[in-house]
Amino acid sequence: MGKKEIDIEIDRLTNSIENSVTGEVFDTQVVQLRKSDKKNINPAEWLFDWEAELDLSNREVFKLTTANNPKIIHGLLSVEDKSDHIFIHLVESANFNKGTNKMYFGVAGNLFSFACKVSFEKGYEGYVAFDSKSALIEHYKKKLGATHFKGQRMYIETVNALELVKKYFQD
Amino acid sequence: MSIVKEPKGIDFVVKSEPWSDEELKEFRKLMKKRKSELGEKKRSKIKENYKKVSKQPV
């Protein structure tokens, strides 16, 4: 990705997710995936083709796991460095974290927060851009502080990006 | 710290389509405008705040 590589510090960023049944909170980490990690992704368990995503040289793929069980992937994120903002190509929670009976809350929020953090680290002042399904635009505004740009295009700007990062990093 | 929970029955799944050069140009213009509206002082403060947050032990 680009000329400026992401610091190891944010490669191993720790947040948390919450068990939807017990309310128990688990520390998580976001770690970059390499091509050699393809074997750890079972295509049958994911909607998007993450193996193909790992082959794209201009993108970086990250996995979110709990800190004590790094083998179970709770969510995946694909981003591209656009030189002045971070563009989110894909975000997906694992099957067990989807739907009304999702096992853990906070997976996607965690990954969006991470994307904002990457943007700050690269000097892009937190700016993150992505597309939303039409039906989700209002939810992204409300939950992530995202702003509607046009059509399905959305972005998170500096102030709300900081708020999102704070939600996951500040007591 | 808090957790951003998706609304019940909603999954935040993103699959972005590439933005056109024209859209990117427009977006960059918008970012420039927003940064200008925010002002140098506030932008610096946000950067400082970010540094404080990012330095917190996890």
Side-chain angles (χ1 to χ4, degrees):
Chain A
M1 178 194 286
K3 292 169 189 165
K4 299 178 226 169
E5 289 299 322
I6 296 167
D7 291 343
I8 191 74
E9 188 182 3
I10 56 168
D11 273 359
R12 294 198 175 275
L13 153 155
T14 303
N15 301 327
S16 57
I17 53 176
E18 181 186 316
N19 186 293
S20 63
V21 178
T22 64
E24 195 177 353
V25 172
F26 293 85
D27 286 344
T28 57
Q29 59 184 13
V30 179
V31 179
Q32 188 172 358
L33 286 178
R34 306 287 179 191
K35 281 185 185 179
S36 57
D37 294 310
K38 278 182 182 178
K39 58 184 181 298
N40 299 323
I41 299 173
N42 180 357
E45 293 176 359
W46 298 90
L47 180 66
F48 302 134
D49 188 349
W50 290 97
E51 289 184 329
E53 205 67 15
L54 281 164
D55 285 331
L56 298 171
S57 59
N58 60 339
R59 299 186 189 183
E60 288 194 350
V61 176
F62 297 90
K63 67 172 178 178
L64 184 135
T65 70
T66 56
N68 60 5
N69 194 348
K71 284 188 178 173
I72 296 178
I73 301 174
H74 283 260
L76 290 167
L77 166 77
S78 167
V79 296
E80 182 179 349
D81 183 342
K82 288 290 197 181
S83 78
D84 55 1
H85 67 280
I86 293 298
F87 186 76
I88 296 180
H89 284 280
L90 300 174
V91 174
E92 184 180 5
S93 297
N95 275 340
F96 55 86
N97 290 324
K98 283 180 190 159
T100 48
N101 296 319
K102 65 184 69 165
M103 204 176 283
Y104 291 90
F105 293 129
V107 173
N110 217 306
L111 291 169
F112 274 97
S113 173
F114 178 77
C116 291
K117 191 163 170 52
V118 171
S119 176
F120 274 114
E121 292 290 332
K122 286 176 170 280
Y124 304 157
E125 301 187 35
Y127 274 87
V128 165
F130 62 98
D131 279 3
S132 164
K133 287 179 185 172
S134 302
L136 295 184
I137 288 173
E138 290 306 314
H139 292 298
Y140 284 122
K141 283 185 186 176
K142 193 175 171 186
K143 289 288 179 180
L144 303 177
T147 305
H148 184 220
F149 175 41
K150 60 194 296 190
Q152 292 179 297
R153 314 308 200 193
M154 300 197 79
Y155 66 97
I156 303 172
E157 51 71 46
T158 308
V159 175
N160 290 335
L162 180 63
E163 288 306 310
L164 198 52
V165 172
K166 276 182 179 174
K167 276 183 182 168
Y168 279 92
F169 290 92
Q170 219 169 35
D171 290 329
Chain B
M1 184 184 70
S2 61
I3 291 170
V4 178
K5 295 179 187 175
E6 293 154 311
K8 202 171 180 182
I10 300 287
D11 292 314
F12 285 167
V13 176
V14 170
K15 186 183 188 303
S16 299
E17 295 299 325
W19 291 22
S20 67
D21 289 344
E22 191 57 39
E23 283 173 319
L24 270 176
K25 196 177 163 186
E26 204 180 323
F27 179 57
R28 289 188 162 121
K29 202 174 162 185
L30 178 66
M31 280 198 291
K32 199 176 170 184
K33 185 171 175 261
R34 294 298 301 266
K35 286 176 185 176
S36 168
E37 284 168 353
L38 204 56
E40 283 300 325
K41 207 173 171 181
K42 193 156 187 189
R43 285 170 66 198
S44 297
K45 201 173 173 184
I46 288 170
K47 283 176 198 168
E48 278 173 32
N49 280 343
Y50 170 73
K51 279 180 191 167
K52 281 181 199 166
V53 172
S54 65
K55 278 178 186 167
Q56 285 184 348
V58 288

